[in-house]
Amino acid sequence: MALPSGQRRSGGQRRGRRSGPREPREFEQKTIDLSRVTRVVAGGKRMRFRATVAIGDQKGRVGVGIAKGSDVSNSIQKAVTAAKKAMIRVPIVNDTIPHQIFTKSGGAYLMLKPAPKGSGVIAGGPIRAIMELAGVKNVVSKILGSSNKINNVYALMEALKKLRTREQAAARRGKTI
């Protein structure tokens, strides 16, 4: 809609915007790592972006995706799609993890321990972001070995996959609690 010269749009006449409140997203997302990667080809260097994104519902479901794209928004969108495909369920007992676990992925070693109520998420970098997205409120972690964010994320996801509640462990062995 063209306006006569000198006139401006009022608040209700914005172009291209939907009216009304936005619907809440199913998952919260956090960008863990965003880097520019370069590939050398015959004509010079080709630059792309690699995004590592974590998504979660803060109720025990979390996923991590890594993707490359020609621009930042494209790579983040691809990473979110990859994260949705790689969702796992984290067992949460009294706002913490059920037991201590130690895992290794690549050069990254990771230790996770349950913590008492009120401790909070005592973790560094990408581990803190993913644990908060998973809905774990009290946990202690220590990253040993590599400081590479992606390897630490892989180690964390391996650890979360291995966690079991007492009931799950008993059922696996055919016992009752």
Side-chain angles (χ1 to χ4, degrees), residues 148-159:
N148 182 320
K149 286 182 182 180
I150 293 178
N151 282 346
N152 287 324
V153 166
Y154 281 143
L156 175 63
M157 294 306 281
E158 281 302 311

Side-chain angles (χ1 to χ4, degrees), residues 111-170:
M111 185 265 305
L112 294 173
K113 275 174 41 174
K117 273 199 187 308
S119 300
V121 178
I122 302 171
I127 309 303
R128 170 184 292 276
I130 295 171
M131 291 307 242
E132 286 172 352
L133 287 172
V136 178
K137 293 188 175 51
N138 303 301
V139 69
V140 176
S141 80
K142 182 65 183 162
I143 297 170
L144 307 158
S146 174
S147 60
N148 182 320
K149 286 182 182 180
I150 293 178
N151 282 346
N152 287 324
V153 166
Y154 281 143
L156 175 63
M157 294 306 281
E158 281 302 311
L160 295 177
K161 285 178 193 171
K162 292 179 183 177
L163 288 175
R164 303 278 182 263
T165 62
R166 297 176 91 183
E167 292 78 19
Q168 289 170 333

